[in-house]
Amino acid sequence: MSDYVSEELHTLVQKQFSIDHRMIAISGHSMGGHGALTLGLRFPEKFCSVSAFSPIVNPVQAPWGQKAFMGYLGDDQSKWLEYDATELIKAGRRHPKTLLVEQGLADPFLKTQLLTENFMEACQQARQPSTIHMRDGYDHSYYFVSTFIGEHIDFHASEMASRLQ
C-alpha cells in the first residue's frame, strides 16, 4: 500500500484530476491514520498536510502492530521502524507542517494498541509540530470521525491555501 499511495495514486490524482502536486494532502482512520502519518513523514514533499483519526502510532510496541509486521515484513524488527510514526519521529523524520491527530479518550484500544502518548512524547522531544486532540467521550467509531471530519477538511484547506500565497 505504501508504494500504491505514495507513487501510483499520487501520480494518478495529479493526472486524472489536474491536481497541482503541491495540493495533495493525506488523512486516514485507524490503520489508515497510521498510514497517513508514516507516509507524510516518509514523503513530506508529496503531502502538503497530514491528519489522522485514532491512528495506531507506535505499532512496534503494540500487539496488533507486531503481529502485522511479522506477517508482512518478517522477523527483522529493524525493517519495522520505517512503518512506525513514533519511531520515524525518533529517527529524525519530520513533516514541515503541523501533524493533526484526533483521539477519543473512550477508545478501548488507546492504552494497549494505539499508544498515542508515545507519539505525543516523540513529537514534543523532536519538536515536530503537532496538534493532538484527546476527545473526552469518543471511541474508535466512524461516529467519532464524522464528528470532527469538518475540522480536518478545514485544516487541509488552510494548508493548501497557504501554499498558494
Side-chain angles (χ1 to χ4, degrees):
M1 285 306 290
S2 176
D3 289 343
Y4 174 69
V5 173
S6 66
E7 298 297 329
E8 293 176 49
L9 185 59
H10 194 270
T11 300
L12 180 71
V13 165
Q14 290 174 69
K15 288 181 179 177
Q16 292 297 316
F17 301 104
S18 299
I19 301 292
D20 183 331
H21 74 287
R22 300 172 302 149
M23 302 298 169
I24 298 176
I26 191 165
S27 184
H29 172 246
S30 195
M31 285 303 287
H34 161 261
L37 290 169
T38 58
L39 291 174
L41 290 165
R42 290 174 60 211
F43 306 105
E45 71 285 355
K46 291 189 174 198
F47 303 103
C48 67
S49 54
V50 180
S51 76
F53 290 88
S54 307
I56 181 171
V57 290
N58 198 191
V60 301
Q61 298 297 326
W64 283 346
Q66 293 165 354
K67 182 179 178 184
F69 286 168
M70 182 69 75
Y72 287 110
L73 302 171
D75 60 1
D76 181 354
Q77 294 184 10
S78 66
K79 292 179 182 176
W80 299 4
L81 302 178
E82 277 293 305
Y83 300 94
D84 182 304
T86 300
E87 297 301 326
L88 288 169
I89 295 283
K90 288 179 180 179
R93 296 289 183 101
R94 301 288 180 275
H95 194 279
K97 298 292 187 171
T98 298
L99 304 173
L100 177 60
V101 175
E102 292 306 316
Q103 179 57 60
L105 289 172
D107 190 321
F109 310 116
L110 179 60
K111 299 288 183 193
T112 59
Q113 300 287 355
L114 304 181
L115 307 174
T116 306
E117 289 180 10
N118 295 359
F119 185 70
M120 292 169 69
E121 183 179 317
C123 286
Q124 186 176 34
Q125 288 181 357
R127 299 181 192 242
Q128 166 62 57
S130 62
T131 298
I132 302 170
H133 297 132
M134 303 298 283
R135 305 288 188 169
D136 194 33
Y138 288 92
D139 60 11
H140 200 83
S141 69
Y142 286 104
Y143 174 72
F144 171 55
V145 175
S146 70
T147 302
F148 298 104
I149 192 69
E151 292 179 25
H152 283 241
I153 291 169
D154 290 345
F155 166 77
H156 291 291
S158 175
E159 292 298 333
M160 290 176 194
S162 72
R163 288 192 168 217
L164 294 174
Q165 297 173 356

